Amino acid sequence: MVLAELSLAIAAVKGVGELIDSAKSVAEVASSLDSALNLSDRAKKKETAKPKGKTETRINKHLEQFEDNTDGESTNLGAIVQEVTDAKALNNELWRLGVRLDVKWGEGTWDKILEIRRKRIEKQEQLKYERQNQIRETKKARKLFYIEISKGVLLVIAVSGFLYWLLQYY
């Protein structure tokens, strides 16, 4: 899976490089550049599929006879060599893309694009984190609210039961 993502990212970066030559502004290649950078980031993360449960793990053991790791990464030397060389090729293509952008629209364009992108990703992650905290706090507040309501209902039931007992026996 990682090899396919690396190959796809390399192809996307090369495609953006070809678009740069015919583009009149960076805005014309922005969406393609965004796609290429997203593919590149995803390929660099090397997300691997993990077994979902005991049954799948047991089946994998019997079928593969320990040829692969349990975390889904291949231990085959050829696959490792291909992955490393593709990662280096991706970095090389990204560097070439940066050089092309700098040549066409002035030095520092690529660095500025990467910096702004990094800041926006950080801001997006911060907003996501804040939203998760807000949801967590809302859940806590609701839980406390329901606990207090339950206490009130129990108190009303206890007082009503006591009053009923008093009226029955006195």
Side-chain angles (χ1 to χ4, degrees):
M1 186 64 169
V2 175
L3 296 176
E5 288 179 354
L6 283 170
S7 299
L8 186 60
I10 291 169
V13 171
K14 284 183 180 180
V16 172
E18 292 172 6
L19 282 176
I20 289 173
D21 294 334
S22 62
K24 294 180 182 175
S25 72
V26 178
E28 292 178 15
V29 295
S31 64
S32 300
L33 182 60
D34 184 46
S35 298
L37 289 174
N38 287 337
L39 285 170
S40 171
D41 288 346
R42 192 174 349 147
K44 288 179 183 177
K45 285 182 183 177
K46 298 181 184 177
E47 295 177 7
T48 57
K50 295 184 179 180
K52 294 180 182 173
K54 291 179 183 178
T55 306
E56 186 174 344
T57 304
R58 198 174 309 134
I59 290 171
N60 284 342
K61 274 186 192 178
H62 291 295
L63 291 177
E64 297 175 5
Q65 296 297 320
F66 300 107
E67 286 182 18
D68 286 338
N69 291 338
T70 56
D71 63 356
E73 292 182 357
S74 177
T75 57
N76 183 356
L77 186 61
I80 294 170
V81 168
Q82 183 70 36
E83 188 176 324
V84 169
T85 56
D86 281 353
K88 286 191 175 196
L90 176 61
N91 288 336
N92 188 24
E93 288 300 323
L94 285 171
W95 177 78
R96 283 181 173 180
L97 179 66
V99 169
R100 280 180 142 175
L101 280 168
D102 286 346
V103 166
K104 181 129 183 175
W105 286 291
E107 190 173 332
T109 303
W110 178 246
D111 293 332
K112 185 74 172 174
I113 289 170
L114 291 179
E115 179 66 22
I116 291 171
R117 182 175 184 269
R118 184 189 58 77
K119 286 179 182 178
R120 288 182 181 176
I121 289 173
E122 286 176 0
K123 183 178 178 183
Q124 187 179 24
E125 289 173 357
Q126 180 66 26
L127 289 174
K128 183 179 176 183
Y129 177 75
E130 289 173 2
R131 178 70 179 143
Q132 288 173 345
N133 283 340
Q134 183 182 18
I135 290 170
R136 198 174 297 122
E137 291 297 322
T138 303
K139 285 181 180 180
K140 259 188 206 176
R142 284 183 182 169
K143 184 178 180 179
L144 291 174
F145 174 75
Y146 290 130
I147 288 172
E148 293 300 318
I149 292 294
S150 300
K151 287 179 184 177
V153 168
L154 287 174
L155 181 65
V156 167
I157 290 172
V159 168
S160 298
F162 180 70
L163 289 176
Y164 179 75
W165 179 77
L166 278 176
L167 292 175
Q168 290 293 324
Y169 298 106
Y170 285 107

